[in-house]
Amino acid sequence: MLFAHGARDPEWADPFRAVAARVAADRGDLTVRLAFLEFQGPTLPDAITGLVSAGHRSIRIAPLFMAQGGHLKHDVPKLLAEIRSRHPDLAIELLPAIGDVPELREAIAGWLTRSIPGARA
Amino acid sequence: MLFAHGARDPEWADPFRAVAARVAADRGDLTVRLAFLEFQGPTLPDAITGLVSAGHRSIRIAPLFMAQGGHLKHDVPKLLAEIRSRHPDLAIELLPAIGDVPELREAIAGWLTRSIPGARA
Protein backbone atom coordinates (compact mmCIF):
# COMPACT_ATOMS: atom_id res chain seq x y z
CA MET A 1 0.00 0.00 0.00
CA LEU A 2 1.65 3.20 -1.16
CA PHE A 3 0.43 6.01 1.07
CA ALA A 4 0.79 9.62 -0.05
CA HIS A 5 -0.30 12.94 1.38
CA GLY A 6 -2.75 13.92 -1.36
CA ALA A 7 -3.43 17.40 -2.76
CA ARG A 8 -6.28 19.41 -4.22
CA ASP A 9 -4.64 19.18 -7.65
CA PRO A 10 -5.36 15.67 -9.01
CA GLU A 11 -2.20 15.82 -11.18
CA TRP A 12 -0.19 15.90 -7.97
CA ALA A 13 -0.67 12.15 -7.68
CA ASP A 14 0.81 11.32 -11.11
CA PRO A 15 4.34 10.50 -9.86
CA PHE A 16 2.86 8.22 -7.19
CA ARG A 17 0.74 6.44 -9.78
CA ALA A 18 3.90 5.96 -11.86
CA VAL A 19 5.77 4.48 -8.87
CA ALA A 20 2.81 2.20 -8.06
CA ALA A 21 2.64 1.02 -11.69
CA ARG A 22 6.36 0.28 -11.70
CA VAL A 23 6.26 -1.71 -8.46
CA ALA A 24 3.21 -3.62 -9.70
CA ALA A 25 5.02 -4.43 -12.97
CA ASP A 26 8.12 -5.65 -11.12
CA ARG A 27 6.27 -7.61 -8.45
CA GLY A 28 3.40 -9.59 -9.94
CA ASP A 29 3.17 -11.49 -6.64
CA LEU A 30 1.97 -8.35 -4.81
CA THR A 31 -1.24 -6.36 -4.94
CA VAL A 32 -0.14 -2.72 -5.15
CA ARG A 33 -2.57 0.03 -4.18
CA LEU A 34 -2.34 3.79 -3.59
CA ALA A 35 -4.10 5.61 -0.71
CA PHE A 36 -4.09 9.19 0.53
CA LEU A 37 -4.14 11.07 3.81
CA GLU A 38 -6.30 13.93 2.60
CA PHE A 39 -7.82 15.74 -0.44
CA GLN A 40 -7.84 12.58 -2.55
CA GLY A 41 -9.21 9.08 -2.18
CA PRO A 42 -9.23 6.35 -1.22
CA THR A 43 -8.30 6.93 2.40
CA LEU A 44 -5.86 4.49 4.01
CA PRO A 45 -8.56 2.75 6.14
CA ASP A 46 -10.89 2.37 3.14
CA ALA A 47 -8.13 1.06 0.88
CA ILE A 48 -7.08 -1.46 3.52
CA THR A 49 -10.66 -2.59 4.08
CA GLY A 50 -10.81 -3.21 0.33
CA LEU A 51 -7.70 -5.43 0.45
CA VAL A 52 -8.96 -7.33 3.52
CA SER A 53 -12.30 -7.93 1.76
CA ALA A 54 -10.33 -9.35 -1.16
CA GLY A 55 -8.68 -11.84 1.21
CA HIS A 56 -5.36 -10.18 2.03
CA ARG A 57 -4.01 -10.93 5.50
CA SER A 58 -0.67 -9.09 5.40
CA ILE A 59 -0.20 -5.49 4.29
CA ARG A 60 2.91 -3.33 4.11
CA ILE A 61 2.37 0.41 4.11
CA ALA A 62 5.01 2.57 2.42
CA PRO A 63 4.53 6.25 3.32
CA LEU A 64 5.63 8.29 0.29
CA PHE A 65 6.47 11.30 2.44
CA MET A 66 9.80 13.11 2.36
CA ALA A 67 10.19 13.07 6.15
CA GLN A 68 8.53 12.21 9.45
CA GLY A 69 6.48 15.17 10.60
CA GLY A 70 3.15 15.45 12.33
CA HIS A 71 1.41 13.36 9.67
CA LEU A 72 3.58 10.29 10.17
CA LYS A 73 4.15 10.79 13.91
CA HIS A 74 0.54 11.52 14.88
CA ASP A 75 -2.01 11.05 12.09
CA VAL A 76 -0.73 7.71 10.84
CA PRO A 77 -0.58 6.01 14.28
CA LYS A 78 -4.21 7.06 14.80
CA LEU A 79 -5.18 5.62 11.41
CA LEU A 80 -3.28 2.40 12.20
CA ALA A 81 -5.08 2.07 15.56
CA GLU A 82 -8.40 2.47 13.74
CA ILE A 83 -7.37 -0.09 11.11
CA ARG A 84 -6.14 -2.60 13.73
CA SER A 85 -9.40 -2.35 15.67
CA ARG A 86 -11.37 -2.95 12.45
CA HIS A 87 -9.14 -5.82 11.31
CA PRO A 88 -7.57 -7.45 14.40
CA ASP A 89 -6.11 -10.41 12.48
CA LEU A 90 -4.38 -8.34 9.82
CA ALA A 91 -0.56 -8.21 9.83
CA ILE A 92 0.51 -4.61 9.16
CA GLU A 93 4.03 -3.35 8.64
CA LEU A 94 4.89 0.34 8.29
CA LEU A 95 7.94 1.11 6.15
CA PRO A 96 10.07 4.24 6.74
CA ALA A 97 9.55 7.60 5.05
CA ILE A 98 11.53 8.26 1.84
CA GLY A 99 14.00 10.57 3.61
CA ASP A 100 14.63 7.99 6.34
CA VAL A 101 15.93 5.43 3.83
CA PRO A 102 19.71 5.95 3.42
CA GLU A 103 19.64 4.49 -0.11
CA LEU A 104 17.01 7.04 -1.20
CA ARG A 105 18.79 9.96 0.46
CA GLU A 106 21.90 8.88 -1.48
CA ALA A 107 19.87 8.74 -4.70
CA ILE A 108 18.57 12.29 -4.15
CA ALA A 109 22.00 13.65 -3.19
CA GLY A 110 23.59 11.85 -6.15
CA TRP A 111 21.05 13.26 -8.57
CA LEU A 112 21.64 16.78 -7.23
CA THR A 113 25.42 16.31 -7.38
CA ARG A 114 25.24 15.24 -11.03
CA SER A 115 22.52 17.63 -12.23
CA ILE A 116 24.16 20.89 -11.20
CA PRO A 117 26.91 22.04 -13.56
CA GLY A 118 30.19 23.43 -12.22
CA ALA A 119 30.06 26.73 -10.33
CA ARG A 120 30.52 29.70 -12.66
CA ALA A 121 31.90 32.04 -9.98
CA MET B 1 19.52 25.86 -2.57
CA LEU B 2 17.62 22.87 -1.26
CA PHE B 3 14.05 23.95 -0.62
CA ALA B 4 11.79 21.87 1.64
CA HIS B 5 8.28 22.30 2.96
CA GLY B 6 9.14 22.60 6.65
CA ALA B 7 7.17 21.27 9.63
CA ARG B 8 6.43 22.19 13.22
CA ASP B 9 8.65 19.30 14.37
CA PRO B 10 12.30 20.43 13.96
CA GLU B 11 13.44 16.78 13.57
CA TRP B 12 11.44 16.69 10.36
CA ALA B 13 14.28 18.51 8.63
CA ASP B 14 16.99 15.95 9.57
CA PRO B 15 16.86 13.99 6.27
CA PHE B 16 17.12 17.24 4.33
CA ARG B 17 20.13 18.32 6.39
CA ALA B 18 21.71 14.94 5.62
CA VAL B 19 21.11 15.38 1.88
CA ALA B 20 22.49 18.95 2.01
CA ALA B 21 25.61 17.74 3.87
CA ARG B 22 26.16 14.99 1.32
CA VAL B 23 25.84 17.32 -1.67
CA ALA B 24 28.16 19.85 0.03
CA ALA B 25 30.73 17.09 0.66
CA ASP B 26 30.58 15.90 -2.96
CA ARG B 27 30.59 19.37 -4.51
CA GLY B 28 33.11 21.62 -2.81
CA ASP B 29 32.67 24.06 -5.71
CA LEU B 30 29.08 24.82 -4.68
CA THR B 31 27.60 26.67 -1.72
CA VAL B 32 24.76 24.42 -0.48
CA ARG B 33 21.99 25.89 1.64
CA LEU B 34 18.62 24.70 2.95
CA ALA B 35 15.47 26.88 3.02
CA PHE B 36 11.85 26.23 3.94
CA LEU B 37 8.39 27.22 2.77
CA GLU B 38 6.82 27.38 6.24
CA PHE B 39 7.18 26.50 9.94
CA GLN B 40 10.99 26.59 9.80
CA GLY B 41 13.60 29.10 8.68
CA PRO B 42 15.22 30.51 6.76
CA THR B 43 12.60 31.30 4.15
CA LEU B 44 13.58 30.97 0.50
CA PRO B 45 13.76 34.76 -0.12
CA ASP B 46 15.87 35.31 3.02
CA ALA B 47 18.24 32.46 2.21
CA ILE B 48 18.69 33.75 -1.34
CA THR B 49 19.31 37.31 -0.12
CA GLY B 50 22.06 35.84 2.09
CA LEU B 51 23.71 34.15 -0.90
CA VAL B 52 23.43 37.29 -3.04
CA SER B 53 24.99 39.35 -0.22
CA ALA B 54 27.86 36.84 -0.19
CA GLY B 55 28.45 37.51 -3.89
CA HIS B 56 26.59 34.66 -5.60
CA ARG B 57 25.12 35.51 -9.01
CA SER B 58 23.67 32.14 -10.02
CA ILE B 59 21.43 29.98 -7.86
CA ARG B 60 19.74 26.66 -8.55
CA ILE B 61 16.73 25.80 -6.43
CA ALA B 62 15.95 22.10 -5.87
CA PRO B 63 12.46 21.66 -4.39
CA LEU B 64 12.60 18.62 -2.12
CA PHE B 65 8.90 17.94 -2.54
CA MET B 66 7.45 14.60 -3.58
CA ALA B 67 5.22 16.13 -6.25
CA GLN B 68 3.97 19.36 -7.83
CA GLY B 69 0.93 20.52 -5.90
CA GLY B 70 -0.28 23.97 -4.91
CA HIS B 71 3.00 24.79 -3.19
CA LEU B 72 5.15 24.32 -6.28
CA LYS B 73 2.53 25.52 -8.77
CA HIS B 74 1.39 28.65 -6.92
CA ASP B 75 3.48 29.51 -3.81
CA VAL B 76 6.89 29.03 -5.40
CA PRO B 77 6.21 31.15 -8.53
CA LYS B 78 5.09 33.96 -6.19
CA LEU B 79 8.29 33.61 -4.15
CA LEU B 80 10.38 33.56 -7.33
CA ALA B 81 8.69 36.75 -8.59
CA GLU B 82 9.48 38.41 -5.25
CA ILE B 83 13.09 37.19 -5.40
CA ARG B 84 13.53 38.33 -9.03
CA SER B 85 12.23 41.81 -8.22
CA ARG B 86 14.65 42.04 -5.26
CA HIS B 87 17.61 40.68 -7.24
CA PRO B 88 17.07 41.48 -10.94
CA ASP B 89 20.58 40.40 -12.01
CA LEU B 90 20.47 37.00 -10.31
CA ALA B 91 20.32 33.89 -12.52
CA ILE B 92 17.82 31.47 -10.99
CA GLU B 93 17.05 27.94 -12.15
CA LEU B 94 14.28 25.82 -10.65
CA LEU B 95 14.91 22.06 -10.70
CA PRO B 96 12.01 19.55 -10.85
CA ALA B 97 10.29 17.98 -7.82
CA ILE B 98 11.64 14.62 -6.62
CA GLY B 99 8.71 12.68 -8.10
CA ASP B 100 9.14 14.39 -11.48
CA VAL B 101 12.68 13.02 -11.87
CA PRO B 102 12.46 9.60 -13.60
CA GLU B 103 15.74 8.45 -11.99
CA LEU B 104 14.36 9.16 -8.50
CA ARG B 105 10.99 7.53 -9.22
CA GLU B 106 12.99 4.48 -10.33
CA ALA B 107 15.03 4.59 -7.11
CA ILE B 108 11.87 4.68 -4.99
CA ALA B 109 10.17 1.91 -6.98
CA GLY B 110 13.35 -0.17 -6.88
CA TRP B 111 13.69 0.22 -3.14
CA LEU B 112 10.04 -0.83 -2.65
CA THR B 113 10.48 -3.77 -5.01
CA ARG B 114 13.50 -5.03 -3.08
CA SER B 115 12.34 -4.24 0.46
CA ILE B 116 9.06 -6.17 0.40
CA PRO B 117 9.51 -9.92 0.85
CA GLY B 118 7.55 -12.40 -1.29
CA ALA B 119 3.79 -12.51 -0.82
CA ARG B 120 2.76 -15.02 1.84
CA ALA B 121 -0.73 -15.63 0.46
Side-chain angles (χ1 to χ4, degrees):
Chain A
M1 178 70 63
L2 308 188
F3 176 55
H5 186 285
R8 284 184 188 85
D9 181 347
E11 283 180 13
W12 182 87
D14 289 350
F16 303 97
R17 293 189 208 291
V19 168
R22 179 56 188 261
V23 177
D26 285 349
R27 289 292 303 267
D29 58 323
L30 299 177
T31 300
V32 180
R33 293 286 181 271
L34 186 56
F36 299 93
L37 179 64
E38 55 190 2
F39 302 121
Q40 292 175 273
T43 65
L44 188 63
D46 285 353
I48 286 181
T49 296
L51 288 179
V52 170
S53 302
H56 291 273
R57 294 289 168 262
S58 174
I59 294 177
R60 282 179 184 75
I61 302 171
L64 298 180
F65 286 65
M66 288 299 300
Q68 290 236 13
H71 292 316
L72 293 189
K73 288 186 177 177
H74 305 298
D75 300 342
V76 167
K78 275 183 211 163
L79 289 173
L80 288 183
E82 177 189 337
I83 289 162
R84 288 195 169 105
S85 74
R86 270 201 222 177
H87 312 290
D89 297 331
L90 182 67
I92 301 175
E93 185 190 342
L94 185 64
L95 294 169
I98 299 297
D100 289 334
V101 179
E103 164 185 342
L104 297 179
R105 281 203 307 270
E106 285 293 304
I108 294 169
W111 169 69
L112 288 168
T113 291
R114 288 187 303 277
S115 65
I116 301 177
R120 298 171 191 164
Chain B
M1 178 70 62
L2 307 188
F3 176 55
H5 186 285
R8 284 185 188 85
D9 181 348
E11 283 180 13
W12 181 86
D14 289 350
F16 303 98
R17 294 190 207 291
V19 168
R22 178 58 188 259
V23 176
D26 285 350
R27 289 292 303 268
D29 59 322
L30 300 177
T31 300
V32 180
R33 292 287 181 270
L34 187 56
F36 299 93
L37 179 65
E38 56 190 2
F39 302 122
Q40 292 174 273
T43 64
L44 188 63
D46 286 353
I48 286 181
T49 295
L51 288 178
V52 170
S53 303
H56 291 273
R57 294 288 168 265
S58 174
I59 294 177
R60 281 180 184 75
I61 302 171
L64 298 180
F65 285 65
M66 288 300 300
Q68 290 235 16
H71 293 316
L72 292 188
K73 288 187 177 176
H74 305 298
D75 300 342
V76 168
K78 276 184 211 163
L79 289 173
L80 288 183
E82 177 189 337
I83 289 161
R84 288 195 169 107
S85 73
R86 270 201 223 176
H87 312 290
D89 296 331
L90 183 67
I92 300 174
E93 186 191 340
L94 184 64
L95 294 169
I98 300 296
D100 288 334
V101 179
E103 164 186 341
L104 298 179
R105 282 203 306 269
E106 284 293 303
I108 294 169
W111 168 70
L112 287 167
T113 292
R114 288 187 305 276
S115 66
I116 301 177
R120 298 172 191 162

